[in-house]
Amino acid sequence: MRTGSKGLKLTIITAAHGATDGGAVFFLPLLPLVMGELGLDALQAGVLVAVYNLASSFLQLPLALVSDVSGKNRLFFAAGLALSAAAFIAFGHAQGYLSILALMVLAGVGASTHHPQAVAILAEEFADQRGFAIGWHGVGGSLGMSLYPIVTGVAALYMGWRQAIQLVALPGLLVAAAVLVGLPERAPRPWTFRDFVGDFRVGILQNRPLLLLLLTSTFRIMGQKGIVVFIPLFAAQVLGLGSGGTGLLVSVFYGMGVLSQPVAGRLSDRHGRTLILSLLLGASGLLTLTMIRVTSAAGAFLVSGILGFVLLAVRPVIHAEATELSRQGLQSTTMGVIFGLNEGISSLSAVLGGWVAETFGLRACFAFFALVLLGGACLALLLERVAALPLPRPAGEAPPR
């Protein structure tokens, strides 16, 4: 990678993260309006969110592989942001459930270009402060996820939900231009197919600590994705909040992550990642259980804020640990595997949560997602022991001295 300002790179990648992750959640406070206009049930609403996650996950690994080989990360960044923006603009003309599904797919494809490349670049640029840099990168995502829902929720009151979605396109287009101007391309890697298969087998498929971390991360994202889908539905249908109130509720959840992610990243740099990870996941599961007892808007805001502070702090810790467990030159690919599988499997959480809501009521969703997070905490407790095992090496490679 060409020399340049680390601060500038971090700023651009963080802004791109805000546009990407904000584009993933802007739709949540609008779900009650969409359900009312189109006559959808909770399961169909869950499918709308699920197809975005599936589309986002589908291309994560292939694009990460191409990025590792070609070094064209800047092109992927900008193209993904532009594609999502085009989908958001098209929402203004969307008619019917199927057209909205198709646009959610396109937006998800655009979102698939960001995370593997971004985390790999940050791990390379900030080798001694990975937790902090990835935590700061998470601040951008949390800001986007905090601001987008409240902006679209309030805008929907005055211009309707279709036009509110079109507002999301503008920051994406601006950040795409900044990516093209301010980010350098990475040096391409001369990789044969045989090289790739060998490195992928040893560096990922036989890497037991990384596989356990991948499973832990999947439990985390399943719980988080489910919670942020059904908190606004719970607030609207049980507590009677309007689109502005539900948007603010989602914003509070993600806004608290702005404070916690750099702190958790720094703590994991200093005190070890597995301990911090297990504590945060366990606390998140217990906090999610308290949502069952919430009976007022004030209680929902309080619990959502604390839960967002704790649960969103998990992400930079997991990503920093993943870059340390991955082989040199496979970091984008490793993150592509983690993000791709996480997003693909977590897409089921919205559908499963919809089934639980239809069968047992909306409050039961939080018990289900609490169990998922507590399961992730149990897996995290095993990480320290498994991570102590020697990492696999290709045949013929000498062990470290």
Side-chain angles (χ1 to χ4, degrees), residues 80-98:
L81 289 163
L83 178 61
S84 293
F88 299 149
I89 292 172
F91 265 99
H93 309 285
Q95 299 294 328
Y97 184 64
L98 292 180

PDB file of all heavy atoms in Angstrom, residues 80-98:
ATOM      1  N   GLY A  80     -19.632  -0.417  -4.396  1.00  0.00           N
ATOM      2  CA  GLY A  80     -20.646  -0.895  -3.469  1.00  0.00           C
ATOM      3  C   GLY A  80     -21.491   0.227  -2.903  1.00  0.00           C
ATOM      4  O   GLY A  80     -22.725   0.129  -2.822  1.00  0.00           O
ATOM      5  N   LEU A  81     -20.847   1.314  -2.502  1.00  0.00           N
ATOM      6  CA  LEU A  81     -21.584   2.460  -1.986  1.00  0.00           C
ATOM      7  C   LEU A  81     -22.526   3.036  -3.039  1.00  0.00           C
ATOM      8  O   LEU A  81     -23.674   3.400  -2.740  1.00  0.00           O
ATOM      9  CB  LEU A  81     -20.605   3.535  -1.507  1.00  0.00           C
ATOM     10  CG  LEU A  81     -19.827   3.209  -0.227  1.00  0.00           C
ATOM     11  CD1 LEU A  81     -18.611   4.121  -0.094  1.00  0.00           C
ATOM     12  CD2 LEU A  81     -20.724   3.332   0.994  1.00  0.00           C
ATOM     13  N   ALA A  82     -22.048   3.125  -4.282  1.00  0.00           N
ATOM     14  CA  ALA A  82     -22.870   3.672  -5.359  1.00  0.00           C
ATOM     15  C   ALA A  82     -24.062   2.764  -5.666  1.00  0.00           C
ATOM     16  O   ALA A  82     -25.174   3.246  -5.928  1.00  0.00           O
ATOM     17  CB  ALA A  82     -22.026   3.872  -6.606  1.00  0.00           C
ATOM     18  N   LEU A  83     -23.857   1.451  -5.644  1.00  0.00           N
ATOM     19  CA  LEU A  83     -24.948   0.517  -5.926  1.00  0.00           C
ATOM     20  C   LEU A  83     -26.038   0.612  -4.865  1.00  0.00           C
ATOM     21  O   LEU A  83     -27.236   0.652  -5.182  1.00  0.00           O
ATOM     22  CB  LEU A  83     -24.409  -0.904  -6.013  1.00  0.00           C
ATOM     23  CG  LEU A  83     -25.458  -1.998  -6.267  1.00  0.00           C
ATOM     24  CD1 LEU A  83     -26.181  -1.771  -7.595  1.00  0.00           C
ATOM     25  CD2 LEU A  83     -24.797  -3.376  -6.240  1.00  0.00           C
ATOM     26  N   SER A  84     -25.639   0.652  -3.600  1.00  0.00           N
ATOM     27  CA  SER A  84     -26.634   0.793  -2.538  1.00  0.00           C
ATOM     28  C   SER A  84     -27.393   2.107  -2.674  1.00  0.00           C
ATOM     29  O   SER A  84     -28.615   2.158  -2.485  1.00  0.00           O
ATOM     30  CB  SER A  84     -25.952   0.714  -1.161  1.00  0.00           C
ATOM     31  OG  SER A  84     -25.426  -0.571  -0.927  1.00  0.00           O
ATOM     32  N   ALA A  85     -26.679   3.187  -2.998  1.00  0.00           N
ATOM     33  CA  ALA A  85     -27.338   4.482  -3.165  1.00  0.00           C
ATOM     34  C   ALA A  85     -28.359   4.432  -4.290  1.00  0.00           C
ATOM     35  O   ALA A  85     -29.462   4.994  -4.171  1.00  0.00           O
ATOM     36  CB  ALA A  85     -26.292   5.563  -3.438  1.00  0.00           C
ATOM     37  N   ALA A  86     -28.020   3.763  -5.389  1.00  0.00           N
ATOM     38  CA  ALA A  86     -28.969   3.638  -6.502  1.00  0.00           C
ATOM     39  C   ALA A  86     -30.225   2.886  -6.075  1.00  0.00           C
ATOM     40  O   ALA A  86     -31.351   3.243  -6.462  1.00  0.00           O
ATOM     41  CB  ALA A  86     -28.297   2.929  -7.675  1.00  0.00           C
ATOM     42  N   ALA A  87     -30.049   1.841  -5.271  1.00  0.00           N
ATOM     43  CA  ALA A  87     -31.208   1.094  -4.775  1.00  0.00           C
ATOM     44  C   ALA A  87     -32.085   1.972  -3.893  1.00  0.00           C
ATOM     45  O   ALA A  87     -33.325   1.931  -3.983  1.00  0.00           O
ATOM     46  CB  ALA A  87     -30.742  -0.146  -4.013  1.00  0.00           C
ATOM     47  N   PHE A  88     -31.464   2.790  -3.042  1.00  0.00           N
ATOM     48  CA  PHE A  88     -32.250   3.660  -2.164  1.00  0.00           C
ATOM     49  C   PHE A  88     -33.036   4.693  -2.975  1.00  0.00           C
ATOM     50  O   PHE A  88     -34.182   5.013  -2.641  1.00  0.00           O
ATOM     51  CB  PHE A  88     -31.325   4.365  -1.170  1.00  0.00           C
ATOM     52  CG  PHE A  88     -30.567   3.435  -0.266  1.00  0.00           C
ATOM     53  CD1 PHE A  88     -29.313   3.773   0.212  1.00  0.00           C
ATOM     54  CD2 PHE A  88     -31.100   2.207   0.094  1.00  0.00           C
ATOM     55  CE1 PHE A  88     -28.604   2.919   1.040  1.00  0.00           C
ATOM     56  CE2 PHE A  88     -30.399   1.338   0.926  1.00  0.00           C
ATOM     57  CZ  PHE A  88     -29.145   1.702   1.391  1.00  0.00           C
ATOM     58  N   ILE A  89     -32.420   5.225  -4.020  1.00  0.00           N
ATOM     59  CA  ILE A  89     -33.137   6.178  -4.874  1.00  0.00           C
ATOM     60  C   ILE A  89     -34.340   5.508  -5.531  1.00  0.00           C
ATOM     61  O   ILE A  89     -35.428   6.089  -5.645  1.00  0.00           O
ATOM     62  CB  ILE A  89     -32.183   6.750  -5.937  1.00  0.00           C
ATOM     63  CG1 ILE A  89     -31.124   7.639  -5.268  1.00  0.00           C
ATOM     64  CG2 ILE A  89     -32.953   7.550  -6.988  1.00  0.00           C
ATOM     65  CD1 ILE A  89     -30.022   8.089  -6.198  1.00  0.00           C
ATOM     66  N   ALA A  90     -34.179   4.266  -5.944  1.00  0.00           N
ATOM     67  CA  ALA A  90     -35.259   3.541  -6.622  1.00  0.00           C
ATOM     68  C   ALA A  90     -36.436   3.235  -5.693  1.00  0.00           C
ATOM     69  O   ALA A  90     -37.542   2.963  -6.181  1.00  0.00           O
ATOM     70  CB  ALA A  90     -34.725   2.244  -7.223  1.00  0.00           C
ATOM     71  N   PHE A  91     -36.224   3.264  -4.379  1.00  0.00           N
ATOM     72  CA  PHE A  91     -37.333   3.039  -3.451  1.00  0.00           C
ATOM     73  C   PHE A  91     -38.457   4.052  -3.660  1.00  0.00           C
ATOM     74  O   PHE A  91     -39.615   3.780  -3.346  1.00  0.00           O
ATOM     75  CB  PHE A  91     -36.845   3.121  -2.000  1.00  0.00           C
ATOM     76  CG  PHE A  91     -36.498   1.786  -1.406  1.00  0.00           C
ATOM     77  CD1 PHE A  91     -35.180   1.364  -1.353  1.00  0.00           C
ATOM     78  CD2 PHE A  91     -37.474   0.957  -0.892  1.00  0.00           C
ATOM     79  CE1 PHE A  91     -34.844   0.146  -0.801  1.00  0.00           C
ATOM     80  CE2 PHE A  91     -37.155  -0.260  -0.344  1.00  0.00           C
ATOM     81  CZ  PHE A  91     -35.825  -0.678  -0.296  1.00  0.00           C
ATOM     82  N   GLY A  92     -38.109   5.224  -4.150  1.00  0.00           N
ATOM     83  CA  GLY A  92     -39.134   6.238  -4.382  1.00  0.00           C
ATOM     84  C   GLY A  92     -40.158   5.827  -5.411  1.00  0.00           C
ATOM     85  O   GLY A  92     -41.250   6.405  -5.465  1.00  0.00           O
ATOM     86  N   HIS A  93     -39.819   4.832  -6.221  1.00  0.00           N
ATOM     87  CA  HIS A  93     -40.733   4.377  -7.270  1.00  0.00           C
ATOM     88  C   HIS A  93     -41.188   2.936  -7.058  1.00  0.00           C
ATOM     89  O   HIS A  93     -41.808   2.345  -7.936  1.00  0.00           O
ATOM     90  CB  HIS A  93     -40.049   4.498  -8.638  1.00  0.00           C
ATOM     91  CG  HIS A  93     -39.440   5.849  -8.882  1.00  0.00           C
ATOM     92  ND1 HIS A  93     -40.198   6.961  -9.190  1.00  0.00           N
ATOM     93  CD2 HIS A  93     -38.147   6.273  -8.834  1.00  0.00           C
ATOM     94  CE1 HIS A  93     -39.402   8.007  -9.338  1.00  0.00           C
ATOM     95  NE2 HIS A  93     -38.153   7.623  -9.124  1.00  0.00           N
ATOM     96  N   ALA A  94     -40.853   2.372  -5.897  1.00  0.00           N
ATOM     97  CA  ALA A  94     -41.175   0.962  -5.635  1.00  0.00           C
ATOM     98  C   ALA A  94     -42.666   0.797  -5.382  1.00  0.00           C
ATOM     99  O   ALA A  94     -43.275   1.571  -4.638  1.00  0.00           O
ATOM    100  CB  ALA A  94     -40.381   0.460  -4.438  1.00  0.00           C
ATOM    101  N   GLN A  95     -43.237  -0.228  -5.999  1.00  0.00           N
ATOM    102  CA  GLN A  95     -44.648  -0.546  -5.809  1.00  0.00           C
ATOM    103  C   GLN A  95     -44.764  -2.054  -5.538  1.00  0.00           C
ATOM    104  O   GLN A  95     -44.356  -2.859  -6.360  1.00  0.00           O
ATOM    105  CB  GLN A  95     -45.468  -0.191  -7.058  1.00  0.00           C
ATOM    106  CG  GLN A  95     -45.431   1.280  -7.419  1.00  0.00           C
ATOM    107  CD  GLN A  95     -46.112   2.154  -6.374  1.00  0.00           C
ATOM    108  OE1 GLN A  95     -47.067   1.725  -5.727  1.00  0.00           O
ATOM    109  NE2 GLN A  95     -45.640   3.386  -6.241  1.00  0.00           N
ATOM    110  N   GLY A  96     -45.275  -2.398  -4.385  1.00  0.00           N
ATOM    111  CA  GLY A  96     -45.521  -3.803  -4.089  1.00  0.00           C
ATOM    112  C   GLY A  96     -44.376  -4.469  -3.349  1.00  0.00           C
ATOM    113  O   GLY A  96     -43.224  -4.000  -3.337  1.00  0.00           O
ATOM    114  N   TYR A  97     -44.705  -5.589  -2.748  1.00  0.00           N
ATOM    115  CA  TYR A  97     -43.777  -6.320  -1.889  1.00  0.00           C
ATOM    116  C   TYR A  97     -42.578  -6.851  -2.674  1.00  0.00           C
ATOM    117  O   TYR A  97     -41.432  -6.761  -2.219  1.00  0.00           O
ATOM    118  CB  TYR A  97     -44.529  -7.464  -1.211  1.00  0.00           C
ATOM    119  CG  TYR A  97     -43.717  -8.265  -0.219  1.00  0.00           C
ATOM    120  CD1 TYR A  97     -43.212  -7.684   0.939  1.00  0.00           C
ATOM    121  CD2 TYR A  97     -43.470  -9.617  -0.437  1.00  0.00           C
ATOM    122  CE1 TYR A  97     -42.489  -8.425   1.849  1.00  0.00           C
ATOM    123  CE2 TYR A  97     -42.752 -10.367   0.473  1.00  0.00           C
ATOM    124  CZ  TYR A  97     -42.261  -9.770   1.619  1.00  0.00           C
ATOM    125  OH  TYR A  97     -41.543 -10.516   2.521  1.00  0.00           O
ATOM    126  N   LEU A  98     -42.785  -7.400  -3.859  1.00  0.00           N
ATOM    127  CA  LEU A  98     -41.708  -8.013  -4.618  1.00  0.00           C
ATOM    128  C   LEU A  98     -40.680  -6.986  -5.079  1.00  0.00           C
ATOM    129  O   LEU A  98     -39.473  -7.260  -5.085  1.00  0.00           O
ATOM    130  CB  LEU A  98     -42.265  -8.777  -5.819  1.00  0.00           C
ATOM    131  CG  LEU A  98     -43.078 -10.028  -5.505  1.00  0.00           C
ATOM    132  CD1 LEU A  98     -43.575 -10.693  -6.780  1.00  0.00           C
ATOM    133  CD2 LEU A  98     -42.253 -11.015  -4.679  1.00  0.00           C
TER     134      LEU A  98
END
